[in-house]
Amino acid sequence: NAGVMQNPRHLVRRRGQEARLRCSPVKGHSHVYWYRQLPEEGLKFMVYLQKENIIDESGMPKERFSAEFPKEGPSILRIQQVVRGDSAAYFCASSNKRGSNTEAFFGQGTRLTVV
Amino acid sequence: GENVGLHLPTLSVQEGDNSIINCAYSNSASDYFIWYKQESGKGPQFIIDIRSNMDKRQGQRVTVLLNKTVKHLSLQIAATQPGDSAVYFCAENSMEYGNKLVFGAGTILRVKS
């Protein structure tokens, strides 16, 4: 859905650098989800945030990864000290309410390449 | 659950034929299901959804069938077109999953002209 904006679309980082991925949800949406996708695989859930709160981070590695969704501004997925295995497409989705029966709209993703 | 590390199955169909894409979901408590289409280099795009109190829902050229007894979901595409070529994912949602979408492994649909 064109309403979810992710940037950058492509990001190249050397091993050990930090990667910052941004996601602006659909206007009015206060729920954001981050997913990771390896080539020819499905989307794996990482973290679910509501404004200023992390609701569920069960899919996010405990080390080096963090996410935030501040009151103002986009949601940020931060990966510190990147390694080659972090290379993947990272997708953000947003919805306007919590609960099941809620459609989530996806952005175009950020493709991270670690060299 | 989530199928990670598996290569995606491929369905090849002739243009104009009907396509049926299948998905086995994992949680009998899931109460909402969505089919997404993902084209190369793009994000997943919503196609159609269905709630667990229904067993069939129709959209434009697409139909989703839900069989809760065997935890099976299918997507039927009528008169398949070259533009339908993509990877198709089913996703399930439930309170047990904390209201996050859990995706299946995906199926590659190739339409031959």
Side-chain angles (χ1 to χ4, degrees), chain A residues 6-78:
Chain A
Q6 289 188 248
N7 69 82
R9 291 293 308 277
H10 300 274
L11 181 62
V12 179
R13 284 287 178 267
R14 295 187 185 279
R15 282 178 293 171
Q17 290 185 319
E18 178 180 285
R20 288 167 63 92
L21 288 61
R22 295 174 182 77
C23 168
S24 296
V26 172
K27 188 175 181 180
H29 285 191
S30 59
H31 301 263
V32 165
Y33 309 78
W34 284 94
Y35 287 81
R36 169 188 161 115
Q37 185 178 37
L38 294 173
E40 299 214 357
E41 292 189 5
L43 286 84
K44 184 176 182 182
F45 169 79
M46 298 182 72
V47 61
Y48 165 28
L49 310 102
Q50 196 178 355
K51 281 287 186 181
E52 300 185 273
N53 291 304
I54 295 176
I55 307 300
D56 182 345
E57 57 183 348
S58 59
M60 198 159 66
K62 297 287 187 287
E63 306 286 330
R64 302 187 298 108
F65 285 72
S66 62
E68 62 178 18
F69 188 17
K71 187 176 180 181
E72 301 291 336
S75 175
I76 305 287
L77 178 67
R78 183 182 292 109

Side-chain angles (χ1 to χ4, degrees), chain A residues 1 6 9-10 33 35 37-48 55-56 58-59 89 91-93 97-109 111, chain B residues 2-8 31-32 34 36 38-46 49-52 89 93-95 97-106 108 110:
Chain A
N1 186 290
Q6 289 188 248
R9 291 293 308 277
H10 300 274
Y33 309 78
Y35 287 81
Q37 185 178 37
L38 294 173
E40 299 214 357
E41 292 189 5
L43 286 84
K44 184 176 182 182
F45 169 79
M46 298 182 72
V47 61
Y48 165 28
I55 307 300
D56 182 345
S58 59
F91 289 97
C92 167
K97 59 182 177 180
R98 184 174 184 174
S100 58
N101 305 325
T102 302
E103 179 184 344
F105 295 93
F106 281 83
Q108 297 297 332
R111 279 146 188 85
Chain B
E2 297 174 75
N3 294 289
V4 177
L6 302 175
H7 292 290
L8 303 181
D31 55 6
Y32 181 56
I34 305 177
Y36 284 94
Q38 187 177 26
E39 296 174 282
S40 181
K42 296 186 178 180
Q45 177 186 0
F46 173 91
D49 60 358
I50 188 168
R51 289 170 172 69
S52 59
F89 294 98
N93 192 345
S94 70
M95 294 290 289
Y97 284 148
N99 301 316
K100 60 180 182 281
L101 288 172
V102 174
F103 282 79
I108 299 171
R110 296 196 202 281

Side-chain angles (χ1 to χ4, degrees), chain B residues 5-63:
Chain B
L6 302 175
H7 292 290
L8 303 181
T10 300
L11 174 66
S12 293
V13 299
Q14 198 67 37
E15 181 180 359
D17 287 351
N18 296 333
S19 303
I20 300 176
I21 300 171
N22 297 304
C23 174
Y25 65 92
S26 57
N27 187 351
S28 56
S30 290
D31 55 6
Y32 181 56
F33 306 88
I34 305 177
W35 278 101
Y36 284 94
K37 172 186 180 183
Q38 187 177 26
E39 296 174 282
S40 181
K42 296 186 178 180
Q45 177 186 0
F46 173 91
I47 302 174
I48 192 168
D49 60 358
I50 188 168
R51 289 170 172 69
S52 59
N53 60 352
M54 304 171 69
D55 52 24
K56 180 179 180 179
R57 188 157 189 238
Q58 288 184 293
Q60 187 177 17
R61 276 203 311 122
V62 295
T63 301

